[in-house]
């Protein structure tokens, strides 16, 4: 699909966002091995969480999807999964592949996980290595999917310090710990998103500037009713678009506001954005609230170090904010971006240069000079949802027309994205 956007000066109104992708994966997965029925309201139509649902169905979990997108999952308990008849297709979803691998590592049957071309090029040694330390038998193809997980002969807990800040790796190990003898401890120096530990109510302690999270075989798995909050990472595109173009205000109800995800609010506020939070509440263990954003004059800032994991998915759209800010916006310590759905540093730099931006590429980030006028051009999503959406917002702020190739990538996390853009440009 090819999508064009034109220079816009109107961006206002109210819109509902898709439910949070990270939370949806976990809600479905944890419900699948609980003992009891879970009802998940507002489950997203996005391709990634749908990949998780179809893998769970292949593992014999009864799942009913109602027309209003309520998902009812009949948990099969820790030992109720069925050996799948064919490889589990995780599509484009790293979270599906890495989290389900943690669950399958301890199962009494063999399984195989596959993905699309992008997922098959992403590093999987980062989960295979700790799972092997726990006693799992795992084969990779040169460090990548397909992942073959051999029938478990029993796992044992490990004490593991994460070499990189990654919620997917952290969650994978903690999940395997639910099938392992003894205690599994994951230690992280730099916090990453904490949905797994919150939603499973895992024990957490802090010492020597590290956070230690524990799981074990007898840890109870919660189930019940859960309304999924809106995706903060989807809100990010609307927050930046409204800040840099249009009139505002834009009102975003029921957005997930887990502090391990909302680093972009701190970043945008430091850049001078006008964003307010209203009606704060909690759904299950996840905080949420409404966001109201108005247009503002932004200024460039430097972001690095411990701030990065909290904004890791928002960096392409921060680059766009930087293009419309005074001064320079610099990102460092974000090498992980090169291992996402595409090399997001390369994709961001290549595309923004095509639109006329002055941007310098570093191995671990970039520096973009703000307020250099952008002009419409053809850019490529690199088959990456966040690149497609970030470039659409850049196109709205550029003069003339911009065309985004392979724009359907957006449906991985935000299938309603193109309609939402149109709605907010028309609204008054
Ligand atoms: C995710 C964790 C992050 C993030 C991804 C979703 C998750 O990846 O980029 O979009 O749901 O755990 P890493 O954990 O690899 O940093």
């Amino acid at each position: 699909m090819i999508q064009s956007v034109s220079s816009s000066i109107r961006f206002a109104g109210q819109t509902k966002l898709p439910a949070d992708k990270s939370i949806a994966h976990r809600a479905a997965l944890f419900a699948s091995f609980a003992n009891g029925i879970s009802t998940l309201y507002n489950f997203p139509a996005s391709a990634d969480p749908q990949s998780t649902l179809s893998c769970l169905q292949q593992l014999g979990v009864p799942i009913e999807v109602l027309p209003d997108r309520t998902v009812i999952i009949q948990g099969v308990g820790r030992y109720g999964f069925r050996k799948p008849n064919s490889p589990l297709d995780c599509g484009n979803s790293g979270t599906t592949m890495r989290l389900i691998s943690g669950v399958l590592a301890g199962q009494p049957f063999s399984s195989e996980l596959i993905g699309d071309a992008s997922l098959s090029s992403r590093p999987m040694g980062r989960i295979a290595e700790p799972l092997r330390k726990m006693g799992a038998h795992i084969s990779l193809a040169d460090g990548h999917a397909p992942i073959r997980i051999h029938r478990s002969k029993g796992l044992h807990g490990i004490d593991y310090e994460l070499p990189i800040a990654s919620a997917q790796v952290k969650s994978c190990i903690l999940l395997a710990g639910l099938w392992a003898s003894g205690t599994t401890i994951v230690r992280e120096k730099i916090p990453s998103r904490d949905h797994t530990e919150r939603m499973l109510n895992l024990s957490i302690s802090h010492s020597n500037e590290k956070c230690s999270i524990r799981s074990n075989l007898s840890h109870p798995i919660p189930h019940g009713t859960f309304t999924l909050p809106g995706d903060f990472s989807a809100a990010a595109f609307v927050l930046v678009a409204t800040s840099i173009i249009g009139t505002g205000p834009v009102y975003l109800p029921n957005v997930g506001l887990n502090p391990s995800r909302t680093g972009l609010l701190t970043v945008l506020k430091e850049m001078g954005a006008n964003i307010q939070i209203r009606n704060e509440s909690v759904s299950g263990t996840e905080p949420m609230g409404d966001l109201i954003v108005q247009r503002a004059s932004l200024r460039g800032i430097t972001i690095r170090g411990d701030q990065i994991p909290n904004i890791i998915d928002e960096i392409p759209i921060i680059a766009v904010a930087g293009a419309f800010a005074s001064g320079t916006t610099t990102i460092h310590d974000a090498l992980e971006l090169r291992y996402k759905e595409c090399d997001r540093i390369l994709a961001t730099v290549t595309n923004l240069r095509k639109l006329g931006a002055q941007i310098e590429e570093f191995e671990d980030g970039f520096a973009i000079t703000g307020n250099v006028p952008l002009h419409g051009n053809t850019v490529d999503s690199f088959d990456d949802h966040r690149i497609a959406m970030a470039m659409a917002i850049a196109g709205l702020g550029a003069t003339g027309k911009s065309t985004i190739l392979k724009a359907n990538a957006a449906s991985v996390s935000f299938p309603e994205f193109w309609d939402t853009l149109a709605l907010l440009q028309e609204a008054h």
Side-chain angles (χ1 to χ4, degrees), residues 21-22 26 95 98 165-168 193 312-313 340 386:
K21 178 164 91 64
S22 289
R26 289 166 171 83
T95 310
R98 295 193 176 117
S166 166
Q168 293 179 354
R193 64 191 67 192
I312 193 74
D313 290 341
K340 295 294 177 187
R386 301 203 197 279

Side-chain angles (χ1 to χ4, degrees), residues 148-227:
R148 292 201 178 84
I149 302 177
H150 304 282
R151 192 169 78 84
S152 174
K153 297 193 178 101
L155 300 183
H156 51 83
I158 53 168
D159 186 335
Y160 191 75
E161 182 162 329
L162 291 172
I164 38 164
S166 166
Q168 293 179 354
V169 177
K170 169 175 69 176
S171 303
C172 170
I173 303 165
L174 290 167
L175 287 171
L178 297 173
W179 280 266
S181 62
T183 302
T184 295
I185 308 175
V186 177
R187 299 182 196 269
E188 62 177 3
K189 268 187 270 181
I190 305 179
S192 59
R193 64 191 67 192
D194 66 359
H195 305 298
T196 296
E197 39 277 51
R198 274 177 190 259
M199 293 169 71
L200 287 175
N201 194 21
L202 296 176
S203 120
I204 300 173
S205 58
H206 297 268
S207 68
N208 299 330
E209 295 181 1
K210 276 181 216 156
C211 174
S212 304
I213 310 133
R214 289 171 167 75
S215 66
N216 64 59
L217 193 57
S218 56
H219 186 82
I221 311 302
H223 69 275
T225 301
F226 181 29
T227 302

